[in-house]
Amino acid sequence: MAPLRGITDCIYRTTFLRYFKGVDRVMAPFISSLSAANGTRRIKPAYLRDISPENNKNTELIPQILSNDPDDFLFTAQHIFNLGWPEINWNLGCPSPMVTRKKRGSGLLPHQGQICRVLDAVMARYPERISIKTRLGLDSAAELYRLLPILDQYPLTEIIIHPRLGCQMYKGRADLEAFQNCQPLTRHRLVYNGDITDQDSYSRISQHLPGVKRLMLGRGLIADPFLSTGLKAGGLCLKSDSDRDILKSFLDDLLQQYQGRLCGDSHILGRLKGIWRYLAVIFEDSDKVRKKITKTKKLNNYTEMVKSIFAETPFSS
Ligand SMILES: Cc1cc2nc3c(=O)[nH]c(=O)nc-3n(C[C@H](O)[C@H](O)[C@H](O)COP(=O)(O)O)c2cc1C
């Protein structure tokens, strides 16, 4: 499961794993540290709560760091490893202009010297415990093509590539040719991530990239939580009535947990609407379903709306 900040928090992740199959490992959304004017650093308690072992039971979790500085990375990594997680992922993919402007996420990809400074420090302490999640570059795939051979000198666990440029955000298609071009440039294991939403996209991608054995699923999995089960079983089946019951129970469970964790209808609804933004496509007439959910202002309207959607709207075929 890919990290999706604002959606795949610990409640979503652990609940997902209780209701659906096929996901082996789960990556948490990025964490960064804050530094004060007096030079001290800290990590927001909410970030640490999200990756604490007690909030992530029965999960093979990989926490993720967003950073461009060796000391800052080591500070955050130390906190995470102290929690007992065996591996950390480094985010070199975030395309948000707020992030890239600060030379973080995909904004660091044109700055190889800085990437190496971070890795020199981090690998000396934590060999074989760091993976990288990256895009092709900020402005050009040449950035990753240049970087991959350099990364061969570092003992990384794997490299996950979402083959888009940072400047593209989510526009266009994932570039399978560019992913293919990356394969001979690295000794590291590559994981493919991007635009797997159904059996057809999975088949197209796996035919194009026969050497790739590991996949990361993001928006497609939020939209269809049965996707991982189907792909692992060798093909998606038509969803049954019991699948509708499973999905409904999953959503009820999420609601109950968010009510226990968050305060105020709008806060709780914000989380649920974030999920429905993607999940609506599992139903026929998904735009209408999405609008119905978006319009709800109170939790009791939301509950009624979900009930009526499940009673009246078939899954899309
Ligand atoms: C709302 C949202 C939040 C995301 N948050 C993160 C994040 O915290 N860390 C990260 O590495 N990628 C993040 N991503 C990128 C996804 O993990 C993934 O790489 C991207 O969506 C492409 O995969 P997909 O087509 O399977 O969704 C986010 C994407 C979205 C849409």
Side-chain angles (χ1 to χ4, degrees):
M1 181 188 288
L4 278 84
R5 171 154 296 289
I7 297 177
T8 62
D9 59 11
C10 60
I11 290 182
Y12 185 92
R13 298 189 302 259
T14 51
T15 312
F16 183 100
L17 294 176
R18 276 192 281 113
Y19 285 86
F20 306 102
K21 299 194 184 71
V23 167
D24 305 302
R25 306 171 83 200
V26 172
M27 192 172 284
F30 65 76
I31 287 180
S32 52
S33 76
L34 298 166
S35 48
N38 65 5
T40 57
R41 287 181 215 279
R42 67 183 185 92
I43 302 172
K44 279 191 193 164
Y47 284 171
L48 291 174
R49 266 199 306 278
D50 187 62
I51 58 163
S52 72
E54 61 271 25
N55 286 333
N56 290 278
K57 292 200 177 110
N58 303 317
T59 306
E60 271 201 47
L61 188 75
I62 305 155
Q64 186 187 61
I65 292 180
L66 180 78
S67 175
N68 60 8
D69 174 80
D71 293 338
D72 172 65
F73 194 117
L74 286 170
F75 173 84
T76 313
Q78 170 98 59
H79 275 76
I80 295 173
F81 284 133
N82 283 348
L83 294 173
W85 301 114
E87 183 178 327
I88 291 175
N89 178 265
W90 187 18
N91 180 325
L92 287 180
C94 183
S96 155
M98 297 244 290
V99 168
T100 56
R101 240 184 273 131
K102 294 184 193 157
K103 297 193 182 134
R104 303 203 291 180
S106 65
L108 194 56
L109 288 170
H111 305 281
Q112 287 177 12
Q114 191 59 17
I115 292 175
C116 290
R117 276 189 282 284
V118 173
L119 286 174
D120 287 339
V122 173
M123 291 287 116
R125 277 271 274 287
Y126 303 116
E128 304 289 351
R129 298 188 72 183
I130 308 289
S131 62
I132 285 179
K133 180 167 179 283
T134 184
R135 287 199 174 208
L136 296 169
L138 178 61
D139 296 307
S140 153
E143 294 164 29
L144 187 59
Y145 298 160
R146 268 198 314 268
L147 180 64
L148 283 171
I150 297 171
L151 294 180
D152 271 1
Q153 63 185 293
Y154 297 105
L156 299 165
T157 55
E158 63 188 14
I159 301 174
I160 301 141
I161 302 178
H162 173 52
R164 276 191 174 86
L165 297 170
C167 64
Q168 272 182 281
M169 303 292 287
Y170 287 92
K171 291 200 195 91
R173 270 186 159 196
D175 185 346
L176 301 185
E177 307 287 330
F179 188 99
Q180 238 171 358
N181 294 340
C182 292
Q183 289 177 299
L185 298 176
T186 181
R187 72 175 175 89
H188 292 299
R189 180 172 65 205
L190 293 186
V191 178
Y192 175 85
N193 164 237
D195 297 2
I196 300 176
T197 53
D198 53 18
Q199 184 65 44
D200 285 352
S201 49
Y202 168 75
S203 302
R204 188 174 54 83
I205 288 163
S206 48
Q207 271 162 28
H208 217 100
L209 306 170
V212 175
K213 301 286 177 254
R214 290 158 87 93
L215 302 172
M216 176 181 262
L217 306 179
R219 294 163 299 169
L221 191 61
I222 311 301
D224 178 359
F226 299 96
L227 182 65
S228 46
T229 323
L231 297 182
K232 273 255 173 95
L236 289 179
C237 308
L238 279 180
K239 291 180 185 70
S240 63
D241 284 348
S242 70
D243 290 338
R244 288 176 79 84
D245 295 342
I246 292 171
L247 185 62
K248 176 74 169 53
S249 306
F250 169 64
L251 289 166
D252 291 347
D253 201 334
L254 285 178
L255 169 62
Q256 208 181 9
Q257 292 183 72
Y258 284 128
Q259 282 180 297
R261 189 72 66 86
L262 302 172
C263 283
D265 283 17
S266 67
H267 213 158
I268 299 164
L269 279 174
R271 283 275 148 177
L272 296 164
K273 287 179 187 179
I275 296 166
W276 274 94
R277 191 175 152 219
Y278 297 99
L279 183 66
V281 301
I282 206 168
F283 291 98
E284 269 181 12
D285 221 345
S286 56
D287 286 342
K288 205 159 141 194
V289 166
R290 194 177 293 113
K291 261 189 213 142
K292 282 181 176 176
I293 294 288
T294 312
K295 274 204 293 199
T296 60
K297 298 270 182 278
K298 292 273 167 215
L299 278 180
N300 51 3
N301 308 136
Y302 168 84
T303 323
E304 286 307 311
M305 194 52 80
V306 172
K307 222 187 269 171
S308 87
I309 290 168
F310 273 86
E312 292 160 14
T313 319
F315 278 158
S316 56
S317 43

Coordinates of all heavy atoms in Angstrom, one line a residue, residues 180-208:
Q180 N 11.2 1.5 -17.8 CA 12.0 0.4 -18.5 C 13.5 0.9 -18.7 O 14.4 0.2 -18.4 CB 11.5 0.1 -19.9 CG 11.1 -1.3 -20.1 CD 10.3 -1.4 -21.4 OE1 10.1 -0.5 -22.1 NE2 10.0 -2.7 -21.7
N181 N 13.6 2.2 -19.0 CA 15.0 2.8 -19.2 C 15.8 2.7 -17.9 O 17.0 2.7 -17.9 CB 14.9 4.2 -19.7 CG 14.3 4.3 -21.1 OD1 14.3 3.4 -21.8 ND2 13.8 5.5 -21.4
C182 N 15.0 2.8 -16.8 CA 15.7 2.8 -15.5 C 16.3 1.4 -15.1 O 17.3 1.3 -14.4 CB 14.7 3.2 -14.4 SG 14.2 4.9 -14.5
Q183 N 15.7 0.3 -15.6 CA 16.0 -1.0 -15.2 C 17.5 -1.4 -15.4 O 18.1 -1.8 -14.4 CB 15.1 -2.1 -15.8 CG 13.7 -2.0 -15.2 CD 12.7 -2.9 -15.9 OE1 12.5 -2.8 -17.1 NE2 12.2 -3.8 -15.1
P184 N 18.1 -1.1 -16.6 CA 19.5 -1.4 -16.7 C 20.5 -0.5 -16.0 O 21.7 -0.8 -15.9 CB 19.8 -1.4 -18.2 CG 18.7 -0.5 -18.7 CD 17.5 -0.6 -17.8
L185 N 19.9 0.6 -15.4 CA 20.8 1.6 -14.8 C 21.1 1.4 -13.3 O 21.7 2.2 -12.7 CB 20.2 3.0 -15.0 CG 20.0 3.5 -16.4 CD1 19.3 4.8 -16.4 CD2 21.3 3.6 -17.1
T186 N 20.5 0.3 -12.8 CA 20.6 0.1 -11.3 C 20.8 -1.4 -11.0 O 20.3 -2.3 -11.7 CB 19.4 0.6 -10.6 OG1 19.6 0.4 -9.2 CG2 18.1 0.0 -11.0
R187 N 21.6 -1.6 -9.9 CA 21.7 -3.0 -9.4 C 20.6 -3.2 -8.3 O 20.4 -4.3 -7.9 CB 23.0 -3.2 -8.8 CG 23.2 -2.5 -7.4 CD 24.6 -2.8 -6.7 NE 24.8 -2.0 -5.5 CZ 24.4 -2.3 -4.3 NH1 23.7 -3.5 -4.1 NH2 24.6 -1.5 -3.3
H188 N 19.9 -2.1 -7.9 CA 18.9 -2.3 -6.8 C 17.6 -2.9 -7.4 O 17.3 -2.7 -8.5 CB 18.6 -0.9 -6.2 CG 19.8 -0.4 -5.4 ND1 20.3 -1.1 -4.4 CD2 20.5 0.7 -5.6 CE1 21.3 -0.4 -3.9 NE2 21.5 0.7 -4.6
R189 N 16.9 -3.5 -6.5 CA 15.5 -4.0 -6.8 C 14.6 -2.8 -7.1 O 14.6 -1.9 -6.2 CB 15.0 -4.9 -5.7 CG 13.7 -5.5 -5.9 CD 13.3 -6.4 -4.9 NE 13.1 -5.8 -3.6 CZ 13.2 -6.4 -2.4 NH1 13.5 -7.7 -2.4 NH2 13.0 -5.8 -1.3
L190 N 13.9 -2.9 -8.2 CA 12.9 -1.8 -8.5 C 11.5 -2.2 -8.2 O 11.1 -3.4 -8.5 CB 13.0 -1.4 -9.9 CG 14.3 -0.7 -10.4 CD1 14.2 -0.2 -11.8 CD2 14.7 0.5 -9.5
V191 N 10.8 -1.3 -7.6 CA 9.3 -1.6 -7.4 C 8.6 -0.6 -8.2 O 8.9 0.6 -8.3 CB 9.0 -1.3 -5.9 CG1 7.5 -1.5 -5.6 CG2 9.8 -2.2 -5.0
Y192 N 7.5 -1.1 -8.9 CA 6.7 -0.2 -9.8 C 5.6 0.4 -9.0 O 4.9 -0.3 -8.3 CB 6.2 -0.9 -11.0 CG 5.3 0.0 -11.8 CD1 5.8 0.8 -12.7 CD2 3.9 0.0 -11.5 CE1 5.0 1.7 -13.4 CE2 3.1 0.9 -12.2 CZ 3.7 1.7 -13.2 OH 2.9 2.6 -13.8
N193 N 5.3 1.7 -9.2 CA 4.2 2.4 -8.6 C 3.5 3.3 -9.6 O 4.3 4.2 -10.2 CB 4.6 3.1 -7.3 CG 3.6 4.1 -6.8 OD1 3.9 5.3 -6.7 ND2 2.4 3.7 -6.6
G194 N 2.2 3.3 -9.8 CA 1.6 4.3 -10.6 C 0.5 3.8 -11.5 O 0.7 2.9 -12.3
D195 N -0.8 4.3 -11.3 CA -1.9 4.1 -12.2 C -2.4 2.7 -12.3 O -3.0 2.3 -13.3 CB -1.5 4.6 -13.6 CG -1.3 6.1 -13.6 OD1 -1.3 6.8 -12.6 OD2 -1.0 6.7 -14.7
I196 N -2.1 1.8 -11.3 CA -2.7 0.5 -11.3 C -4.1 0.6 -10.7 O -4.2 0.9 -9.5 CB -1.9 -0.6 -10.6 CG1 -0.5 -0.6 -11.3 CG2 -2.6 -1.9 -10.6 CD1 0.4 -1.6 -10.6
T197 N -5.1 0.5 -11.5 CA -6.5 0.7 -10.9 C -7.4 -0.5 -11.2 O -8.5 -0.5 -10.5 CB -7.2 2.0 -11.6 OG1 -7.1 1.7 -13.1 CG2 -6.4 3.3 -11.3
D198 N -7.0 -1.3 -12.1 CA -7.9 -2.5 -12.4 C -7.1 -3.6 -13.1 O -5.9 -3.4 -13.3 CB -9.1 -2.0 -13.2 CG -8.7 -1.3 -14.5 OD1 -7.5 -1.4 -14.8 OD2 -9.5 -0.6 -15.1
Q199 N -7.8 -4.6 -13.5 CA -7.1 -5.8 -14.1 C -6.4 -5.3 -15.4 O -5.3 -5.7 -15.7 CB -8.2 -6.8 -14.4 CG -7.6 -8.1 -15.0 CD -6.7 -8.8 -14.0 OE1 -7.0 -8.9 -12.9 NE2 -5.5 -9.3 -14.5
D200 N -7.1 -4.4 -16.2 CA -6.5 -4.0 -17.5 C -5.2 -3.3 -17.3 O -4.2 -3.5 -18.0 CB -7.5 -3.1 -18.3 CG -8.7 -4.0 -18.8 OD1 -8.6 -5.2 -18.8 OD2 -9.6 -3.4 -19.4
S201 N -5.3 -2.3 -16.4 CA -4.1 -1.5 -16.2 C -3.0 -2.4 -15.6 O -1.8 -2.2 -16.0 CB -4.3 -0.3 -15.3 OG -5.0 -0.6 -14.1
Y202 N -3.3 -3.3 -14.8 CA -2.3 -4.2 -14.2 C -1.7 -5.1 -15.3 O -0.5 -5.2 -15.4 CB -3.0 -5.1 -13.1 CG -2.1 -6.3 -12.7 CD1 -1.0 -6.0 -11.9 CD2 -2.3 -7.5 -13.2 CE1 -0.2 -7.1 -11.5 CE2 -1.5 -8.6 -12.8 CZ -0.4 -8.4 -12.0 OH 0.4 -9.4 -11.6
S203 N -2.5 -5.6 -16.2 CA -2.0 -6.5 -17.3 C -1.1 -5.7 -18.2 O -0.1 -6.1 -18.6 CB -3.2 -7.1 -18.1 OG -4.0 -7.8 -17.3
R204 N -1.6 -4.5 -18.5 CA -0.8 -3.6 -19.5 C 0.6 -3.3 -18.9 O 1.6 -3.5 -19.5 CB -1.5 -2.3 -19.7 CG -0.9 -1.4 -20.8 CD -1.9 -0.2 -21.0 NE -2.2 0.6 -19.8 CZ -1.4 1.5 -19.3 NH1 -0.3 1.8 -19.8 NH2 -1.8 2.1 -18.2
I205 N 0.6 -3.0 -17.6 CA 1.9 -2.6 -16.9 C 2.7 -3.9 -16.7 O 3.9 -3.9 -17.0 CB 1.6 -1.9 -15.6 CG1 1.0 -0.5 -15.9 CG2 2.8 -1.8 -14.7 CD1 0.3 0.2 -14.8
S206 N 2.1 -5.0 -16.3 CA 3.0 -6.2 -16.1 C 3.5 -6.8 -17.4 O 4.6 -7.3 -17.4 CB 2.3 -7.2 -15.2 OG 1.1 -7.5 -15.6
Q207 N 2.7 -6.6 -18.5 CA 3.3 -7.1 -19.8 C 4.4 -6.2 -20.3 O 5.4 -6.7 -20.8 CB 2.2 -7.0 -20.9 CG 1.4 -8.3 -20.9 CD 0.1 -8.1 -21.6 OE1 -0.1 -7.2 -22.5 NE2 -0.9 -8.9 -21.3
H208 N 4.3 -4.9 -20.0 CA 5.4 -4.0 -20.4 C 6.6 -4.1 -19.5 O 7.7 -3.9 -20.0 CB 4.8 -2.5 -20.2 CG 5.2 -1.6 -21.2 ND1 4.5 -1.2 -22.3 CD2 6.4 -0.9 -21.4 CE1 5.1 -0.4 -23.0 NE2 6.3 -0.1 -22.5

